[in-house]
Amino acid sequence: MRDYLDMGHMRKVTDRQLQEEDSGMEGLYQYKVFYLPHHARPVIQDHLLNLLIRFRKYEVALVGDVEKMYRQVLHDVKDTLRLRILFRFSKEDPFGVYELLTVTYGLKPSSFLATRALQQLAVDEGVEGSPASVAVDKDFYVDDYIGGAASIIEATNLREDLTSLMVKGGFPIRKWCSNHPEVLAGVPEDQLGTSLTITFDLSPDEKVKTLGITWAPKVDQLRFIFNIENEEGEWTRRRILSAIARLFDPLGLISPVVVTAKIIMQQLALLHSVWDAPVPTQLEHKWVDFHRRLSKLTEFSIPRFAFVEDYVDVQLHCFADASDLAYGACL
C-alpha cells in the first residue's frame, strides 16, 4: 500500500474534499462515490490452451512479464470516486480515505481494462502485422508474454521491438527468459526472469514456472512439479477431489494419470459416497496407492518444442477411443 501511494497509483482524499462531498457541492462531487469492500476474481484473455500450443511451435522460446501491468493504466478522474478504500498503515493511525487511481487487482473488469489498454497500444503505436504488434495482441496471458520465433535473430529482434513498443504505452517488460541465452544479450540483469549472471550460464536445474507448467530453459523441457499433500488423516470424497484439482495439465500431457484419478472419483460418485465421510476401504487403498506415486511425475519431462528443425511438411494425426470408464483423444 505504501508503494501504491509513493508511486502515485493511489492518493489520499483530503478532509476538505470529504466535507465538500457531504455538503453536496456541485461539480466533480455530484458523482456518487463507492468504497471497495473486498477482492473478487480477475478475468483471463485468450484461452490458456491456445497460448501454450503456440508456445510449443517456436524453436526459440521467449517469455517476459509486464511490470505492475494493472497499475500502469490510469482511470478517468470521475471514476476514481468509485474506487475508494478505508485504510491505515498502522493500528495507531486513524483510518484514512483513499482513492485508487489505477486499474485495481481483484475487481471484475480489471483484466479486461488492462488487456484492452494493451491491445489499443498495438493499434496506436504498433505497425499492423509486425511481429511485435501481433505479439501484443495475441501472445499475452494477462501480464505474461509467452511466445518466441523461428530463429535467434528473429527472437532477438522481436524482444527489442516488443520492449520498445510496450514502453510507449508505459508497460515495461521484465523477467525475460529464453532457451537460447543469445536472445537475452544486452538485457540488464535485473530484468532477467532467473537468477542468472550476465554470462547467461543457465543451470540445468534452473526452472521458470510458466502458467502453472514448469519450463526448464536450459534443456528446453516441460516438467510437472506437484506439492503432494501429506497422506496423514482420513481421505474423504471432498479431499480427493481437491487433490485431483491440483493436477494442472492444460495441454493434456499427463492425461493417462489425470484420467486414472478421475475414474476413482467416478467410482466414489457411483457409490453415492458422502462428501465429508471417510471413503470405503477398498477405494481408499486404491487412491492412496495412486496418490503416493504422483511424486514420480517429477521424473517426467517432454520437449517444449513440438517440431523438428527445418521441417518441410507438417501433418496432423488424430486418434480417439472410449471405454465404459472414460474417453479421450490424442492429436
Side-chain angles (χ1 to χ4, degrees), residues 32-282:
K32 293 182 179 180
V33 302
F34 181 77
Y35 290 81
L36 306 179
H38 197 55
H39 296 282
R41 297 184 299 271
V43 182
I44 63 171
Q45 18 191 157
D46 198 359
H47 291 294
L48 179 59
L49 179 62
N50 294 346
L51 276 92
L52 289 177
I53 288 177
R54 291 199 295 268
F55 184 53
R56 296 195 67 200
K57 80 174 187 177
Y58 302 115
E59 184 175 344
V60 182
L62 184 65
V63 303
D65 172 81
V66 180
E67 182 178 4
K68 298 181 175 66
M69 178 180 177
Y70 285 9
R71 289 162 57 184
Q72 309 293 3
V73 183
L74 283 170
H75 283 291
D76 189 286
V77 63
K78 69 177 183 295
D79 292 327
T80 62
L81 296 171
R82 296 175 176 84
L83 294 169
R84 287 198 175 174
I85 60 172
L86 298 173
F87 190 77
R88 59 183 178 182
F89 286 92
S90 72
K91 293 182 179 180
E92 291 72 30
D93 296 335
F95 279 102
V97 177
Y98 295 87
E99 286 182 1
L100 303 177
L101 305 180
T102 60
V103 171
T104 305
Y105 286 103
L107 300 183
K108 191 172 183 180
S110 294
S111 179
F112 165 77
L113 292 173
T115 300
R116 184 65 183 84
L118 196 66
Q119 293 176 343
Q120 190 63 40
L121 170 64
V123 174
D124 293 342
E125 301 290 348
V127 177
E128 184 177 1
S130 67
S133 294
V134 172
V136 170
D137 192 44
K138 298 292 185 182
D139 292 334
F140 274 87
Y141 183 78
V142 190
D143 58 350
D144 289 320
Y145 166 68
I146 299 182
S151 68
I152 292 175
I153 293 177
E154 290 180 18
T156 302
N157 292 337
L158 173 60
R159 177 184 60 76
E160 294 174 348
D161 293 344
L162 184 58
T163 298
S164 176
L165 175 58
M166 294 289 285
V167 167
K168 292 179 180 178
F171 294 109
I173 300 185
R174 58 180 182 174
K175 297 183 180 178
W176 285 108
C177 191
S178 175
N179 58 321
H180 287 273
E182 302 95 315
V183 175
L184 307 177
V187 177
E189 188 172 358
D190 60 358
Q191 295 179 17
L192 296 175
T194 59
S195 57
L196 304 179
T197 64
I198 197 66
T199 59
F200 303 101
D201 185 17
L202 284 156
S203 166
D205 295 325
E206 189 160 11
K207 305 175 183 67
V208 177
K209 190 174 183 181
T210 305
L211 301 177
I213 291 181
T214 299
W215 173 45
K218 177 68 174 180
V219 291
D220 203 15
Q221 292 178 342
L222 299 177
R223 297 175 179 174
F224 295 86
I225 306 296
F226 296 107
N227 295 322
I228 305 301
E229 182 183 356
N230 193 314
E231 295 187 13
E232 296 180 0
E234 294 180 326
W235 281 103
T236 65
R237 183 179 172 188
R238 189 185 306 278
R239 186 181 169 198
I240 290 175
L241 179 61
S242 176
I244 294 174
R246 287 195 292 271
L247 299 177
F248 184 69
D249 178 34
L251 283 170
L253 300 178
I254 56 171
S255 286
V257 175
V258 177
V259 76
T260 300
K262 291 184 175 181
I263 288 174
I264 295 176
M265 194 68 198
Q266 180 188 69
Q267 293 169 341
L268 287 172
L270 291 174
L271 292 175
H272 302 289
S273 176
V274 180
W275 279 105
D276 295 309
V279 300
T281 302
Q282 183 177 359

